Amino acid sequence: MLQLANTPASKNLKLSVLTAAILISNSALAEHNNNQLDKKNVEEVKVWGESKASDQADFTTPNSVLTREDFQSINIATTEDVVKFEPSIVIRRRFIGDSNGTMGIRGSNMFQTSRSMVFADGVPLHYHLQSRWSGAPRWTMVSASEIAQVEVLYGPYSAEYSGNAMGGVVVIETAIPQQREFHFDGAFFTQDFNAYKFDDSVNGFKGFISAADKIGDLSLYASYNHLNNDAQPQSFYYNTPTETDNPNTATGAYAGKSSTGDDVLYFSDSGVVNTQTDNLKFKVGYDFGHWQTLLNIAYEDRQSSSDSPTPFLEDLNGNKIWGGNVVVDGQNLTIPASRLAVSDMDRRSLSVGLRLKGDLNSNTSLEANLNQFSILEDQNRSSSVNPNHPSYTLDGQVSDYDDTGWTTAEAKLRFSQLGNTHLALVTGVRHESYQLNYSVYDSSNYAAGSKDTLTNTSGGETSINAAFAQFSWDINSQWDMAFGARFESWKSSNGYISEENTTTGNVEKAPVPEISAEKLSPKLSVGFSPNSDWQLRYSLARAYRFPIVEELFSQYQAYNAISLANPELKPEDGIHQNIMIERSLNNGYARINVFTETIEDAIDSQTTLLPGGGSVRTFSPVDETKAQGVEFIVNQYDFLISDLDMRFNWAYIDTEVISNSTAEGDDISPENSIVGNELPRMPHWRGNLMASYALTEKWTTSVNLQYASDAYGRTDNTDTERNVYGAQDGYTRIGLKTHYALNKTLKLGIGIDNLTNEIAYVAHPWPGRTVYFTLAYDLK
């Protein structure tokens, strides 16, 4: 059963539970509304998926639902903005247009990307091929402007989802056209940023256009989204002073601290990052009888350029220093020439999804989803040194993904009555296969993408076949139960890493042995409703998260980065528990969730920084980790006064490494053990507030707030320095937004994120103060 240890952290947790319980118990009497907000003044839209209410027997997983009415409080530039204020969620979007917008939910941090799932109209957006910053969901395959509803599911308590739902699932539904309509929206954004020696503004813009129609039973939709944005420097390069040979005298270094508190000299930033993203979307739906189909085609073309690193150092003649040994302020420093190299990235992706839903009879329905996601191109071209370096040539490096993507197929049967009206069943099967192939080449002309000599290559495949069944039982008017299980058969295959042929000196592929596993994950949820105003639910689940291709096979060495894979990783084995207490409010609800997550064989990815800014990444298992927390949530329309809508959540979480003997050995000294340490990138406290008030029928103004306490970025918890590059800082960010409808077709808006221009770091810097100017036009 769920237990909280008697530690200082758990005492804070218990106090949080007690405080939240008192707040709920003092709530005014309210009408029961099936735990769904009474949406007012919202244009009715048709979506495919429907969220579950907490008084239904098949409600096993705590959830949070957002509609277009809720979006009004958020400055939205890209899709991940929609969920950034939801309970116990963090989106690591370092700038608008960031391709590395990873997501963390509850006890799974933002770099444990394969512990969360994202679907849009049944199509997977989660990227379960890679982890850490490379494993961000493909958010841009759906545009923020087409979203009608979002539901966040917390934890793996439903047998319908795999162990990749250890953190949670984001379910996005877009509107299904019901008439001829045209939409356009545009935004201009500008950001102020001042850190280290960078002090400037960077700007960007977004344009979106869509057209849709409903012709009889046929619905058609097409859209185009363009984003172009300049971002603040993402890295600030430093080195520790040390003895060097034949140093040149220099000035301009920035003396500061590393995240571990060492005295270092910063010698450059990575420069402004320019990102351009184009998205094309086509949807074709057709209704025939009791059946509905939807064909979903999404194409992404993304380009990113990092070609303007700014060295801080100058020689005595005022010339910028791009590498070499220097002496500055009496301290010797080495500047790796490759650290200030330039790079360009091109990525093109295509996703095709097919969805089918219909009634087999009055009691049984079928839903099927197919998806093929393909990386058409994903190439990064890097110079060996900066073009301003005296020894610059076109020599460089080209890294490339080839034959990379996934295929998924799923079919579900739902029986609304199984023998009697009180028992229901959902059952189904699912297949997933993933393929990743990555190669690194030395190039004589990096700018042209010339691939001359293969230096590293690795890749492989994984597949999962699953079957599940979940029963829902309305025992009586007060009690309900859901119970089920998910069986999964997992296999890795065709894995390989680089191996140098000692005879020829050429790089060849060395095969990696196949491994497989079969696991059964039972689920249980029991609900109790003493009356129409209160809900109490206990959910228990086991979940297995299988290793992904990168963790098993991704082994390479590129400029400034080394990756070491681990082909013998076991599946993560999790026991998850959640107690939910909910009180219905007029036009809303108040809710407490208390949860624990115990994970065995947790796959931990750590990065060790090398001198000059390079890094080594490894994947290793941790015997056992634990996270326990509490969430307090209030969502209500007409909060206190009419036309004031409010969404508030506050969460506390305590994390710990329980055991790590497998990784560290039995004779590890206590001072070097990570047992008892906090898990990385997991702040104890998180909170969000969104409030929107309708000043008139045409004019709405909103305020939002994000808070997080600081955290560690390393499992050894040695990164204790705050407000420096590389740190995991806490933050308090205030946002404002107002929009005015000139008429039925045209709206204007202005918004601000990070009003106080707080500079904080999530290793890389979060954005500074950002101002938005928006325009939207609708014609129906």
Side-chain angles (χ1 to χ4, degrees):
M1 294 294 291
L2 187 149
Q3 296 179 343
L4 299 178
N6 191 27
T7 64
S10 66
K11 290 179 181 178
N12 288 335
L13 181 57
K14 294 174 183 177
L15 180 59
S16 300
V17 174
L18 178 60
T19 302
I22 294 172
L23 288 171
I24 290 182
S25 65
N26 289 334
S27 300
L29 292 177
E31 296 179 1
H32 178 61
N33 59 4
N34 289 330
N35 303 314
Q36 300 300 309
L37 303 185
D38 181 15
K39 310 296 189 297
K40 58 185 180 57
N41 301 324
V42 184
E43 177 188 3
E44 184 176 351
V45 294
K46 183 178 180 181
V47 298
W48 189 303
E50 297 179 358
S51 58
K52 295 181 175 66
S54 59
D55 61 347
Q56 295 176 338
D58 58 349
F59 183 96
T60 60
T61 300
N63 70 346
S64 182
V65 180
L66 292 146
T67 68
R68 285 181 172 176
E69 182 79 354
D70 304 308
F71 302 163
Q72 295 185 64
S73 302
I74 309 171
N75 292 309
I76 298 176
T78 52
T79 297
E80 59 266 47
D81 285 331
V82 174
V83 295
K84 65 184 179 183
F85 294 105
E86 290 307 278
S88 295
I89 284 184
V90 60
I91 302 292
R92 179 189 174 265
R93 197 197 68 176
R94 304 165 299 166
F95 56 89
I96 296 172
D98 187 6
S99 63
N100 299 337
T102 58
M103 177 175 64
I105 306 181
R106 282 194 170 178
S108 299
N109 71 44
M110 63 186 74
F111 275 1
Q112 292 170 312
T113 55
S114 50
R115 287 193 192 174
S116 60
M117 309 174 80
V118 183
F119 294 91
D121 294 325
V123 174
L125 301 185
H126 46 260
Y127 195 73
H128 290 167
L129 287 166
Q130 295 178 273
S131 66
R132 294 178 67 84
W133 55 81
S134 299
R138 293 314 202 227
W139 298 106
T140 50
M141 303 306 281
V142 59
S143 298
S145 301
E146 63 177 309
I147 297 175
Q149 175 184 290
V150 177
E151 182 179 18
V152 182
L153 307 173
Y154 292 87
Y157 301 105
S158 171
E160 295 183 54
Y161 296 101
S162 70
N164 297 105
M166 279 183 172
V169 185
V170 174
V171 182
I172 299 172
E173 297 288 347
T174 64
I176 299 174
Q178 298 300 301
Q179 60 181 329
R180 181 170 298 178
E181 53 190 40
F182 171 84
H183 174 81
F184 166 81
D185 65 69
F188 171 80
F189 19 86
T190 180
Q191 179 201 161
D192 296 327
F193 188 82
N194 183 354
Y196 294 93
K197 288 197 168 187
F198 185 91
D199 184 4
D200 204 349
S201 296
V202 288
N203 308 313
F205 63 89
K206 166 206 165 182
F208 173 86
I209 187 171
S210 68
D213 202 357
K214 182 74 181 286
I215 307 171
D217 293 327
L218 179 69
S219 63
L220 301 169
Y221 175 90
S223 68
Y224 169 67
N225 191 87
H226 176 74
L227 173 69
N228 187 312
N229 188 47
D230 286 338
Q232 76 277 16
Q234 289 303 295
S235 297
F236 298 92
Y237 304 136
Y238 63 82
N239 215 335
T240 303
T242 186
E243 291 298 322
T244 60
D245 296 328
N246 303 316
N248 295 317
T249 303
T251 61
Y254 186 99
K257 297 281 190 179
S258 69
S259 63
T260 55
D262 297 324
D263 291 321
V264 296
L265 294 176
Y266 288 84
F267 57 80
S268 177
D269 64 39
S270 57
V272 170
V273 182
N274 176 261
T275 300
Q276 298 186 59
T277 307
D278 292 285
N279 298 94
L280 288 169
K281 187 74 165 287
F282 300 97
K283 292 185 291 188
V284 180
Y286 190 76
D287 301 338
F288 53 99
H290 296 289
W291 293 84
Q292 299 171 289
T293 60
L294 180 67
L295 175 65
N296 193 321
I297 302 174
Y299 171 79
E300 173 205 61
D301 188 345
R302 176 185 288 272
Q303 300 175 9
S304 180
S305 178
S306 299
D307 59 3
S308 58
T310 306
F312 300 158
L313 301 184
E314 297 179 350
D315 62 21
L316 296 180
N317 295 319
N319 299 312
K320 296 290 185 180
I321 295 178
W322 299 93
N325 296 332
V326 298
V327 56
V328 53
D329 297 331
Q331 300 182 86
N332 289 20
L333 189 68
T334 296
I335 303 173
S338 64
R339 185 68 274 179
L340 283 85
V342 299
S343 65
D344 291 287
M345 185 272 288
D346 288 334
R347 187 176 83 191
R348 295 184 296 119
S349 305
L350 178 67
S351 175
V352 180
L354 181 62
R355 205 173 190 188
L356 172 68
K357 181 181 180 181
D359 296 328
L360 296 174
N361 54 49
S362 60
N363 182 48
T364 310
S365 64
L366 170 70
E367 179 180 343
N369 288 282
L370 301 173
N371 175 241
Q372 175 68 52
F373 180 91
S374 302
I375 298 292
L376 306 178
E377 179 188 32
D378 194 339
Q379 184 180 96
N380 190 81
R381 301 173 295 277
S382 302
S383 65
S384 58
V385 298
N386 191 278
N388 292 295
H389 194 281
S391 62
Y392 171 76
T393 67
L394 285 174
D395 289 346
Q397 197 170 73
V398 174
S399 58
D400 206 355
Y401 291 89
D402 189 26
D403 293 330
T404 293
W406 65 72
T407 301
T408 64
E410 181 180 58
K412 298 180 185 180
L413 282 172
R414 297 184 184 275
F415 300 87
S416 59
Q417 299 180 20
L418 199 66
N420 62 65
T421 59
H422 300 289
L423 189 63
L425 169 68
V426 56
T427 185
V429 294
R430 183 174 179 85
H431 168 77
E432 302 176 12
S433 60
Y434 300 91
Q435 184 175 10
L436 178 73
N437 295 281
Y438 181 72
S439 299
V440 181
Y441 302 85
D442 281 342
S443 175
S444 61
N445 189 337
Y446 77 93
S450 173
K451 304 175 186 177
D452 298 309
T453 305
L454 180 67
T455 58
N456 287 274
T457 186
S458 60
E461 302 174 22
T462 62
S463 63
I464 302 176
N465 293 304
F468 66 89
Q470 183 162 292
F471 295 87
S472 305
W473 181 20
D474 272 318
I475 301 173
N476 54 40
S477 61
Q478 292 185 322
W479 289 91
D480 65 74
M481 178 183 292
F483 50 94
R486 185 179 185 93
F487 173 79
E488 293 171 300
S489 177
W490 171 86
K491 181 181 179 181
S492 73
S493 59
N494 299 320
Y496 62 93
I497 59 175
S498 297
E499 183 178 82
E500 185 176 348
N501 187 309
T502 55
T503 302
T504 65
N506 296 327
V507 170
E508 298 179 352
K509 295 181 179 179
V512 175
E514 297 182 354
I515 54 175
S516 61
E518 294 183 346
K519 300 294 182 180
L520 182 69
S521 307
K523 319 285 183 179
L524 173 68
S525 182
V526 179
F528 174 65
S529 301
N531 53 50
S532 60
D533 293 329
W534 288 90
Q535 300 286 331
L536 174 66
R537 182 170 299 280
Y538 171 72
S539 298
L540 171 66
R542 188 161 204 161
Y544 293 93
R545 201 279 287 179
F546 296 98
I548 59 175
V549 179
E550 182 187 55
E551 295 166 338
L552 295 167
F553 308 126
S554 183
Q555 191 144 307
Y556 62 86
Q557 181 171 351
Y559 285 159
N560 306 306
I562 299 171
S563 178
L564 301 176
N566 188 342
E568 298 181 353
L569 290 170
K570 299 177 181 178
E572 295 185 320
D573 182 357
I575 299 294
H576 299 251
Q577 302 177 76
N578 190 94
I579 295 176
M580 184 191 79
I581 306 171
E582 180 178 286
R583 172 74 156 105
S584 294
L585 306 174
N586 188 29
N587 295 328
Y589 62 85
R591 179 184 294 172
I592 290 176
N593 288 307
V594 183
F595 60 90
T596 65
E597 304 172 5
T598 303
I599 313 292
E600 295 183 356
D601 298 315
I603 299 173
D604 178 53
S605 174
Q606 282 293 302
T607 297
T608 302
L609 295 179
L610 300 176
S615 61
V616 177
R617 179 181 61 179
T618 58
F619 298 100
S620 58
V622 176
D623 278 4
E624 184 176 340
T625 67
K626 186 173 185 178
Q628 52 185 356
V630 59
E631 299 161 342
F632 175 52
I633 304 162
V634 178
N635 293 339
Q636 189 175 19
Y637 287 98
D638 295 327
F639 177 73
L640 299 179
I641 60 174
S642 178
D643 295 324
L644 175 61
D645 303 334
M646 190 269 291
R647 296 176 69 92
F648 170 79
N649 55 80
W650 190 259
Y652 174 83
I653 189 167
D654 181 39
T655 64
E656 184 181 0
V657 176
I658 302 299
S659 173
N660 196 35
S661 60
T662 300
E664 296 183 326
D666 294 332
D667 58 348
I668 191 73
S669 58
E671 62 270 19
N672 293 326
S673 174
I674 65 171
V675 173
N677 286 3
E678 295 179 17
L679 300 181
R681 297 176 181 260
M682 293 299 302
H684 284 296
W685 296 96
R686 289 175 182 157
N688 299 285
L689 171 68
M690 295 196 306
S692 178
Y693 182 66
L695 298 170
T696 69
E697 290 185 358
K698 295 184 177 181
W699 189 11
T700 301
T701 186
S702 307
V703 62
N704 56 63
L705 174 70
Q706 282 183 299
Y707 171 80
S709 58
D710 55 26
Y712 296 105
R714 301 174 53 85
T715 52
D716 60 15
N717 291 181
T718 58
D719 51 327
T720 57
E721 195 72 24
R722 299 301 169 215
N723 299 115
V724 297
Y725 171 69
Q728 298 291 321
D729 290 329
Y731 52 79
T732 302
R733 295 198 286 259
I734 301 170
L736 302 173
K737 182 182 179 182
T738 185
H739 63 272
Y740 184 79
L742 296 176
N743 49 49
K744 292 183 178 180
T745 60
L746 187 61
K747 291 182 180 179
L748 301 176
I750 184 171
I752 302 175
D753 279 344
N754 193 5
L755 178 66
T756 61
N757 200 25
E758 177 181 2
I759 302 300
Y761 296 87
V762 56
H764 302 282
W766 290 107
R769 182 192 298 115
T770 306
V771 180
Y772 303 77
F773 300 94
T774 61
L775 177 149
Y777 177 81
D778 286 280
L779 181 63
K780 298 182 179 181

